[in-house]
Amino acid sequence: MLILGIETSCDETSVALAEDGTRLIASDVASQVQMHAKFGGVVPELASRAHIQKLTPMVEACLDRNGLNLSQIDAIAVTLGPGLVGALLVGVETAKAMAFAAKKPLIPVHHIAGHLYSPMISGPDKAYRHIVIQYEDDAQTAPDAIAESDRNTLADSAAAVADQREQLSRQQSSDLKFPYVGLVVSGGHSSLVVVESPMEFRVLGDTVDDAAGEAFDKLAKLLGLGYPGGPLVERQARKGNPKAFDFPRPMTRREHGYQFSFSGLKTAALQQVRALGEEAVRGSDQLKADICASFQAAVTDVLLHKAELALNETGLNQLAIVGGVACNGHLRLEAAKRFTGSARVVFPPPALCTDNAAMIAGLAYHHRQLHPGCDLTLNAQANLPLGPL
Ligand code: KG4
Ligand code: ZN
């Protein structure tokens, strides 16, 4: 069964084709990060506008490149929520129009359920395309087909892409089996979940304030590094000493259970910067690197501590770490060290950690086995809780 997936919940416009839930044929992602970087964070109105401009041409381009048209697709899947409502609406309304025009089943998918499913998907290197959308001051630019240069532009950071490509080429199907413990760490979510099956979840805990990715983004802002913060903090941290500053490990006492809280850590970093002097910190590469390394170590410790607790208490021996923060090299390394001999840790390749439609098209296959699809009254849901749709 061939499913076309659409994802527009935040600042990535993505279209994917997946077969039978696991085999990825195409995953096209147009990232708006450079566009929002100018404002230091996602501007919802600009995000929706860019989704409108890019989505339909991207669907066309993706089908064309794979020698397909809509009539050959078995179903159309779309992210229903959670996310920015204006951004979600672009995907949902586009999917509805396509499903209606092509008389195809319409399948809504939960964004976090998609992240939790992402390690199940694999595809060849050539299946992945990454486009960077630049900020255009003339926001009235016609929403025509994507320029060839746009289509073929890989992310700005050649090193990051080379790294990503290397990992993708080595990618094998993860052999992860249900049930497993899922740790979702993204810009909007930090949750520990028992994933019983593709669509059955038991949420153990989530964040009471900031998400892990949000904490990285806020630290980057504080240090004047740019946006999005995660990759920039990681880059700085490589040159720093993780023991330079003794940042707290919030909510790690047993009575806190599986809840996360990262806002106290952000405050501790702020106080440290003030104590050292903001100008002194911003002017010193070593201080910035040490703060980033110490902060990254604290976030990693908390995440892995709670994940270990979940593995011990559930008796499960597989852990999937998913979402944008799962790109983090330090987290990957520390997880591998910590769980060697006790549990299998699986990370999707970086291209499937950050937002993508591949996870939506993959998971939709399982929805389709159980449900006939939705009618055209389907509506985006910004605060959709994790559960059956
Ligand atoms: O999953 P995602 O693409 O979007 C959401 O659903 O939120 O995650 C984006 C988040 C951002 O906060 C970004 O800073 C973080 O993932 N991130 C990272 C890294 N790459 C992306 N955080 C830490 N280290 C990274 N290498
Ligand atoms: Zn996400």
Side-chain angles (χ1 to χ4, degrees):
M1 178 181 294
L2 184 59
I3 297 186
L4 172 75
I6 291 175
E7 153 68 41
T8 62
S9 66
C10 189
D11 58 349
E12 252 98 35
T13 316
S14 181
V15 174
L17 290 164
E19 204 163 24
D20 298 338
T22 53
R23 203 170 76 79
L24 186 66
I25 292 164
S27 171
D28 296 2
V29 179
S31 170
Q32 305 172 5
V33 287
Q34 285 203 0
M35 203 178 90
H36 298 294
K38 190 179 154 109
F39 303 98
V42 178
V43 183
E45 155 72 11
L46 288 180
S48 307
R49 190 192 291 268
H51 288 313
I52 290 172
Q53 288 185 332
K54 297 292 175 191
L55 182 57
T56 313
M58 280 178 71
V59 171
E60 248 185 313
C62 183
L63 289 171
D64 271 8
R65 207 176 60 250
N66 290 283
L68 294 165
N69 57 53
L70 265 189
S71 68
Q72 292 162 290
I73 302 296
D74 295 302
I76 296 171
V78 65
T79 304
L80 189 66
L84 301 170
V85 74
L88 288 164
L89 275 169
V90 178
V92 171
E93 293 306 312
T94 305
K96 279 159 70 173
M98 286 179 181
F100 177 71
K103 298 190 175 56
K104 299 293 175 185
L106 174 66
I107 306 174
V109 176
H110 193 288
H111 180 80
I112 301 302
H115 274 302
L116 287 164
Y117 184 78
S118 59
M120 295 293 177
I121 301 163
S122 63
D125 197 4
K126 67 175 176 12
Y128 298 84
R129 290 204 146 207
H130 192 99
I131 302 157
V132 178
I133 302 177
Q134 305 292 332
Y135 178 73
E136 290 154 358
D137 275 321
D138 175 13
Q140 302 307 317
T141 308
D144 51 10
I146 312 165
E148 195 52 34
S149 58
D150 231 9
R151 287 193 197 194
N152 297 325
T153 307
L154 281 164
D156 60 330
S157 159
V161 173
D163 191 36
Q164 198 168 18
R165 296 213 128 201
E166 197 196 317
Q167 298 201 39
L168 288 173
S169 60
R170 281 190 268 114
Q171 183 194 354
Q172 300 291 324
S173 169
S174 69
D175 286 337
L176 191 66
K177 301 270 184 296
F178 295 99
Y180 53 87
V181 172
L183 173 62
V184 187
V185 276
S186 70
H189 300 269
S190 303
S191 324
L192 265 166
V193 181
V194 175
V195 188
E196 311 273 10
S197 77
M199 288 181 299
E200 290 172 300
F201 313 96
R202 187 155 55 87
V203 179
L204 300 174
D206 45 32
T207 181
V208 297
D209 43 52
D210 294 350
E214 199 177 350
F216 277 107
D217 293 339
K218 287 181 176 170
L219 178 71
K221 202 166 190 173
L222 174 67
L223 298 179
L225 300 178
Y227 173 86
L232 301 168
V233 170
E234 180 179 5
R235 197 177 306 162
Q236 290 285 333
R238 285 194 200 118
K239 296 167 279 175
N241 171 9
K243 297 204 166 95
F245 300 103
D246 189 18
F247 288 136
R249 271 57 176 162
M251 310 273 272
T252 41
R253 286 207 309 276
R254 187 62 200 97
E255 66 264 29
H256 293 129
Y258 298 110
Q259 298 302 101
F260 294 101
S261 165
F262 291 108
S263 87
L265 185 54
K266 175 194 69 191
T267 308
L270 176 66
Q271 283 166 347
Q272 188 63 65
V273 169
R274 285 199 180 137
L276 294 163
E278 212 162 308
E279 286 311 304
V281 171
R282 287 193 179 214
S284 159
D285 285 344
Q286 195 54 51
L287 277 179
K288 279 190 285 193
D290 286 346
I291 292 172
C292 287
S294 304
F295 188 92
Q296 180 178 263
V299 173
T300 301
D301 271 2
V302 173
L303 293 174
L304 297 182
H305 170 82
K306 301 259 176 183
E308 189 165 34
L309 201 66
L311 288 166
N312 290 341
E313 290 196 354
T314 58
L316 295 171
N317 62 358
Q318 299 175 99
L319 171 68
I321 306 187
V322 302
V325 181
C327 293
N328 188 277
H330 178 74
L331 177 64
R332 287 177 178 245
L333 208 68
E334 290 302 309
K337 276 196 228 158
R338 189 164 187 141
F339 297 113
T340 300
S342 64
R344 197 146 67 88
V345 188
V346 173
F347 286 90
L352 296 180
C353 287
T354 47
D355 287 348
N356 65 86
M359 63 191 191
I360 305 303
L363 178 54
Y365 169 78
H366 299 276
H367 283 248
R368 184 74 188 125
Q369 305 299 306
L370 300 177
H371 305 296
C374 280
D375 64 27
L376 299 178
T377 59
L378 188 69
N379 201 1
Q381 293 183 41
N383 299 310
L384 188 65
L386 187 60
L389 288 183

